[in-house]
Amino acid sequence: MSSEAPYGHAPGRVMHETSAVPEVERRGGSVGLPVRIAKAILFLASWGVFLWWLAMWFRLPTDEGKAFKKDVSTAVGKNAFWGKYATNYLLYVLPVIVLAILALLYLELEERFPERIRCPASGKQPLLVRLYRAIWTQPLLVKTLVGIITLIDVVIFVIVIACTVWVWSELLKSQFATIDAAKPKKGIPKWAQKWDKTSAMLGRALPFTISVLFVPVARGSPILRLIDVPFEQAVKYHRWFGYLTVLLVFIHGATYAVYLGSIDKLRLLVEWPYSGISNLAGTLGGIAAVIMGITSIPYVRSRHFNTFFTMHHLYIAFFVLYVFHVDWNHSGESMGPILLFFIDRFLRMVQSRRAVTGVSARILPSGLVELKIPRQSGFKYNALSFLYLNVPGISRLQWHPFSTTSTSLDDSEVSVCIKPLGDWTTNLHNSIAAQAASNAKATPGCPFAFQRIHAEGPYGHESNYFLRYKNLVLVAGGAGVTPFIAIIQDLLKRYELQHDGLPENIHLIWCVRRRSELATLRTVKPSQIYSRYLYQGAGKGGLTLNLQAFVTGEAIAGDLQPTETRMLELSATQFLESPQKGDVATQRGMSAVNSYQNLWMIALIVASMTGFVLMHALFYNYVSSPKFLSKGEKFSTALESILHLVCLFVGIVLCGGTVILFWISSGNRAQSAPSYDQETKAGQLNDVEGNDESDLLDSCVVSEGSRPQFEEVFDEVAGKHEGEEVGVLVCGPGSLQESVAAACRSRNFESLLRTQFHYHSVSFDL
């Protein structure tokens, strides 16, 4: 992965594959009462487990919580097979694993018995629904150091801060009371003892922040999918919790250093005893955390992305050193989310190693590169999904996220559009251009630059949230229009399939620097997708598209430059096909082995956890158990931690890997040839720009000058749809997002009963 992360990398619902429209979709999405009850039970049970897990963090530091934990420890201690670690596994790890399994079961029912999202015919929602949506979509703060902040962001951050402070203060309160009641220690004043306990109890609070730090970073996390938090938003939370964790780690180490300095024992910072806490591991882990924190600040991340990305792999060293520092028993408090993260990471590694062949490519008149990537049977994605791509012919190490531009409702390929912005994307563009020129001269050219690529994903929203709004305002900057092209194509196809309850009024506002970029709109011919489509409206209940483009990088006066006129008039290059394209038997599409195969994910989690726990129990009973030690002898803490890291490896890689092997084998058996004729499809795609039918650019109103005044735009939209809800999706640079968010906030604060603008950012940024 590199610093080039083009706009338009947005989350999206993982959809059913589209060779056939699910029967329940044809019936309008109605499901039976037993299914509804099962969904409700699983959903409520998932939330119940999550709230119980969260409540445990608030409860356990108290005297009543300590007594409860002691009772649990006594109860499980009767079974010597599980050893001393069982208590933390039961209280901290098991709830997270159960939550993940319940979430996957719920998501599987949602997939098998979908109830399609519909917008109300009137465009109006009950007041309670409006209040609930406002929690997720109402911008509160716009221009901040951490970006745009919504109400849900504030709620989540306050809960995390409150729990962290609560755990620390409750533990510290009892420690201070003990110090005050005791006699002074010789040579150690009470203030120094309090400094020591301040550091130690802060370390006891760190497992919670580490837990929430690893929850959002798992790209296919079933927990995030359950509550419909897209990976883009999860990355923002990961940053916040990461900065908080680094700050606490630094304070933890600094306060302990002050304590050691006060008693002239700073040498203990590099102590690694045979048994007990390793201060050296803690010191090295703290240094690794600080390095990750410094290289993650926006300035470094935006200007030196490769440095940030490389240094961020220190999380592996931090995790290992953390285990050595606190021992495996105490690290078990944060192990639930960490285990899910490593399972997700291992699955992503397996998927990304699969080579995808049969890729087609062309250069659009706007200069964008369009790739069409075949997908394996069972692969699911959505209009707002995004993929990570790696082209070994350009770089074996760099992975880049790109949003899809195709609809999954009628295609057996996934399309992405790539704007040449940096070295990697420019090299890709130049390679395709050189091959096209070679083909045009009918001379042997260089080998196709990406006869094979590697792909990972899809990732994104769990629901097609844009379908819940009757009115949509799509605001794009530059290449940020690509996910909105996918939305438009998806809606056109849904109208052709006669789905009900669809958005009716789509207003696209596109800000570009040069007119030549507008040629991207020529790739979509609405009447080819929706035969009854009419520009500017298809009658009552039909789809209305209003397209406005603002060219901000040219003078208001003057004609197009000759080159730009030519770019708008010429058709795209024909698709360049890899040698495997025509050979379906050897073509390998994107793997369906990903985190959205819910039942396989349950099997993977269960197998990984079973292997991990059993290996741990065997090590404890036959290697490190006290019965094998002499009286007074202790087992090496470092060796014990190493054994448990081996357990983790065996559980995920060997046991979980066995499930993945069966998973891949099952997918290979189910793999079948595409249901459409390859040559006919290729011919249609190659000729799509050459026919006389109107495309989106023909209906686009183009203005030159500055960006639009969004307050005026929203006033106009509000006047047309008084009292209704409007979904506002933004994909573009930060300044554009801030302008739109400020306009939404200004309008929404006037009255909850008037037209409400629900803000959604779909700009992916690491």
Side-chain angles (χ1 to χ4, degrees):
M1 190 181 302
S2 78
S3 58
E4 311 171 42
Y7 302 120
H9 314 311
R13 171 68 191 256
V14 175
M15 296 291 298
H16 291 274
E17 59 183 309
T18 61
S19 56
V21 180
E23 184 64 29
V24 71
E25 290 251 340
R26 299 193 191 104
R27 297 198 308 266
S30 59
V31 298
L33 181 61
V35 175
R36 290 177 179 269
I37 294 175
K39 286 183 181 181
I41 292 174
L42 288 171
F43 187 78
L44 293 175
S46 300
W47 272 103
V49 172
F50 169 73
L51 293 176
W52 187 89
W53 177 79
L54 184 62
M56 288 301 297
W57 287 100
F58 283 91
R59 180 187 183 190
L60 290 177
T62 64
D63 292 337
E64 185 269 338
K66 293 175 183 176
F68 170 74
K69 186 174 183 178
K70 185 177 180 180
D71 292 340
V72 173
S73 180
T74 302
V76 299
K78 296 177 181 179
N79 187 343
F81 183 73
W82 304 110
K84 61 182 180 181
Y85 309 98
T87 302
N88 282 340
Y89 285 173
L90 285 174
L91 296 179
Y92 296 101
V93 178
L94 183 62
V96 177
I97 302 303
V98 171
L99 171 59
I101 294 174
L102 290 174
L104 288 167
L105 288 173
Y106 172 82
L107 294 167
E108 180 66 16
L109 282 181
E110 278 285 284
E111 181 179 321
R112 290 176 180 267
F113 305 96
E115 297 180 77
R116 286 196 293 105
I117 302 174
R118 297 185 183 87
C119 62
S122 64
K124 300 179 180 180
Q125 291 284 5
L127 182 59
L128 289 178
V129 175
R130 290 193 173 203
L131 289 173
Y132 174 76
R133 289 186 181 174
I135 295 176
W136 293 87
T137 63
Q138 174 59 56
L140 294 183
L141 302 173
V142 176
K143 295 183 179 181
T144 70
L145 293 176
V146 292
I148 299 168
I149 298 178
T150 61
L151 185 55
I152 191 63
D153 298 337
V154 174
V155 171
I156 292 175
F157 192 72
V158 167
I159 290 176
V160 171
I161 291 293
C163 188
T164 303
V165 173
W166 171 262
V167 172
W168 186 21
S169 61
E170 282 296 305
L171 292 173
L172 202 58
K173 182 170 62 176
S174 61
Q175 294 293 330
F176 277 13
T178 301
I179 293 173
D180 290 334
K183 296 180 180 180
K185 293 184 179 180
K186 185 177 181 180
I188 305 179
K190 286 191 174 183
W191 73 265
Q193 296 178 49
K194 290 183 177 180
W195 268 106
D196 178 31
K197 295 304 179 182
T198 298
S199 172
M201 295 306 104
L202 183 57
R204 293 291 302 278
L206 272 171
F208 174 73
T209 63
I210 293 175
S211 293
V212 297
L213 173 65
F214 276 89
V215 168
V217 78
R219 294 178 185 172
S221 169
I223 299 174
L224 297 180
R225 293 174 58 203
L226 175 70
I227 57 180
D228 205 8
V229 173
F231 182 58
E232 172 214 359
Q233 189 173 355
V235 167
K236 177 172 65 175
Y237 296 149
H238 175 68
R239 289 180 196 159
W240 294 359
F241 303 152
Y243 294 143
L244 175 62
T245 301
V246 170
L247 177 62
L248 296 182
V249 166
F250 178 79
I251 296 175
H252 170 62
T255 51
Y256 189 63
V258 170
Y259 164 70
L260 293 179
S262 69
I263 60 175
D264 297 324
K265 291 185 178 180
L266 279 174
R267 65 182 183 278
L268 294 181
L269 283 175
V270 294
E271 181 186 39
W272 195 316
Y274 179 80
S275 177
I277 289 178
S278 168
N279 290 334
L280 177 58
T283 301
L284 295 176
I287 293 173
V290 171
I291 292 175
M292 285 191 290
I294 292 175
T295 55
S296 298
I297 60 178
Y299 178 86
V300 177
R301 192 174 66 246
S302 61
R303 290 170 173 78
H304 306 282
F305 185 88
N306 287 332
T307 300
F308 150 75
F309 186 70
T310 301
M311 291 297 101
H312 227 61
H313 284 84
L314 286 173
Y315 78 85
I316 300 175
F318 173 77
F319 168 70
V320 173
L321 292 168
Y322 169 66
V323 171
F324 282 133
H325 177 55
V326 301
D327 78 37
W328 190 264
N329 186 31
H330 287 96
S331 64
E333 297 176 0
S334 56
M335 198 55 64
I338 292 176
L339 289 170
L340 288 182
F341 165 76
F342 279 118
I343 292 172
D344 176 84
R345 187 66 189 87
F346 178 63
L347 179 63
R348 289 194 284 121
M349 183 189 72
V350 171
Q351 187 197 24
S352 63
R353 290 183 62 86
R354 173 190 173 95
V356 180
T357 58
V359 180
S360 300
R362 66 173 176 174
I363 298 177
L364 301 177
S366 59
L368 294 181
V369 173
E370 182 180 14
L371 301 182
K372 284 193 174 292
I373 308 167
R375 54 191 174 114
Q376 186 180 4
S377 176
F379 181 86
K380 310 164 189 176
Y381 78 105
N382 179 265
L384 284 180
S385 296
F386 67 92
L387 311 174
Y388 277 88
L389 300 182
N390 169 267
V391 181
I394 297 177
S395 173
R396 294 184 179 275
L397 299 178
Q398 295 186 40
W399 287 80
H400 296 259
F402 299 104
S403 54
T404 61
T405 57
S406 55
T407 172
S408 63
L409 292 174
D410 68 343
D411 207 340
S412 294
E413 296 174 309
V414 184
S415 298
V416 298
C417 286
I418 302 170
K419 184 175 182 178
L421 292 174
D423 293 340
W424 190 91
T425 50
T426 300
N427 289 337
L428 178 66
H429 176 278
N430 293 342
S431 176
I432 297 171
Q435 181 67 26
S438 176
N439 291 351
K441 295 178 181 179
T443 59
C446 60
F448 197 44
F450 37 92
Q451 293 183 14
R452 48 188 279 170
I453 69 172
H454 296 274
E456 181 189 314
Y459 302 111
H461 253 292
E462 189 59 28
S463 66
N464 285 302
Y465 62 90
F466 62 89
L467 294 177
R468 69 168 63 109
Y469 301 109
K470 181 182 178 182
N471 314 294
L472 288 173
V473 175
L474 312 177
V475 184
V481 75
T482 53
F484 299 149
I485 289 178
I487 286 180
I488 292 174
Q489 292 189 93
D490 188 76
L491 289 175
L492 288 169
K493 186 60 182 179
R494 290 176 184 275
Y495 269 95
E496 179 67 16
L497 295 173
Q498 300 183 14
H499 290 184
D500 58 344
L502 295 174
E504 298 179 5
N505 305 295
I506 314 299
H507 192 173
L508 173 65
I509 302 172
W510 188 18
C511 301
V512 297
R513 293 190 59 81
R514 304 183 68 83
R515 270 184 177 263
S516 59
E517 298 180 52
L518 301 179
T520 304
L521 297 178
R522 291 210 181 279
T523 60
V524 180
K525 301 182 185 299
S527 58
Q528 287 187 346
I529 305 173
Y530 177 30
S531 58
R532 294 176 299 281
Y533 174 79
L534 295 175
Y535 283 113
Q536 303 302 329
K540 185 177 181 181
L543 178 63
T544 301
L545 290 178
N546 293 290
L547 311 179
Q548 289 182 280
F550 294 82
V551 182
T552 62
E554 298 171 352
I556 297 178
D559 296 328
L560 284 175
Q561 298 177 9
T563 302
E564 293 180 328
T565 303
R566 183 172 177 272
M567 291 294 288
L568 284 172
E569 293 176 350
L570 289 179
S571 63
T573 61
Q574 288 193 343
F575 274 104
L576 304 176
E577 297 181 352
S578 65
Q580 300 91 349
K581 185 65 178 180
D583 188 358
V584 176
T586 61
Q587 182 175 310
R588 298 183 67 187
M590 281 198 65
S591 173
V593 178
N594 56 51
S595 53
Y596 293 95
Q597 300 287 338
N598 302 309
L599 297 182
W600 279 111
M601 279 300 300
I602 292 176
L604 175 60
I605 292 173
V606 171
S608 299
M609 290 303 304
T610 301
F612 167 69
V613 172
L614 289 178
M615 283 295 297
H616 152 75
L618 291 174
F619 271 133
Y620 177 76
N621 280 271
Y622 299 105
V623 179
S624 62
S625 175
K627 63 184 178 182
F628 295 108
L629 303 175
S630 303
K631 186 176 181 180
E633 183 183 2
K634 294 184 178 180
F635 196 79
S636 170
T637 304
L639 180 57
E640 186 178 42
S641 298
I642 292 174
L643 292 176
H644 285 92
L645 291 173
V646 171
C647 294
L648 185 62
F649 177 86
V650 170
I652 295 177
V653 177
L654 296 185
C655 298
T658 302
V659 171
I660 293 178
L661 287 177
F662 283 106
W663 189 350
I664 294 174
S665 176
S666 173
N668 291 336
R669 289 195 300 269
Q671 178 68 45
S672 59
S675 59
Y676 65 106
D677 183 81
Q678 292 279 358
E679 294 183 0
T680 302
K681 185 70 175 179
Q684 292 174 347
L685 292 171
N686 288 339
D687 295 335
V688 71
E689 302 233 9
N691 59 40
D692 296 329
E693 296 183 28
S694 298
D695 51 49
L696 290 180
L697 185 57
D698 293 328
S699 65
C700 182
V701 178
V702 181
S703 304
E704 294 180 344
S706 60
R707 287 178 181 174
Q709 297 297 319
F710 291 106
E711 290 82 0
E712 298 177 3
V713 173
F714 287 180
D715 284 341
E716 180 182 351
V717 173
K720 293 180 180 179
H721 312 293
E722 181 67 30
E724 298 182 354
E725 290 187 308
V726 178
V728 180
L729 282 66
V730 189
C731 188
S735 58
L736 180 67
Q737 296 184 58
E738 290 175 354
S739 299
V740 176
C744 289
R745 182 182 61 180
S746 175
R747 289 287 313 181
N748 293 343
F749 281 171
E750 292 181 4
S751 173
L752 188 62
L753 299 178
R754 299 183 61 184
T755 303
Q756 290 290 300
F757 293 88
H758 295 275
Y759 173 85
H760 300 270
S761 171
V762 292
S763 295
F764 184 83
D765 176 29
L766 284 179

